[in-house]
């Protein structure tokens, strides 16, 4: 019974853990991309409008 229970735990827990890890990685990637785009946006404004754009 214990072997069956642990096998079931791994079978159910594995994909759940993988899903959470993927979601976390996607959120981190999204945050980094957002920061990068914001930095490019500010740099672009400065290039177009000069130093005192913001």
């Amino acid at each position: 019974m214990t072997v069956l229970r642990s096998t079931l735990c791994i079978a159910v827990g594995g994909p759940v853990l993988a899903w959470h890890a993927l979601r976390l990685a996607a959120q981190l990637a999204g945050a980094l991309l957002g920061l990068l785009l914001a930095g490019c946006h500010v740099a672009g404004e400065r290039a177009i409008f000069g130093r005192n754009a913001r």
Side-chain angles (χ1 to χ4, degrees):
M1 190 66 184
T2 308
V3 174
L4 182 63
R5 186 179 290 173
S6 61
T7 306
L8 190 66
C9 243
I10 291 168
V12 171
V16 170
L17 276 175
W19 169 248
H20 283 298
L22 276 173
R23 277 190 55 203
L24 184 64
Q27 285 176 348
L28 283 173
L32 285 174
L33 188 63
L35 284 173
L36 186 68
L37 287 175
C40 287
H41 179 71
V42 171
E45 276 188 1
R46 285 192 178 150
I48 294 168
F49 298 113
R51 280 265 173 227
N52 42 357
R54 281 197 178 185

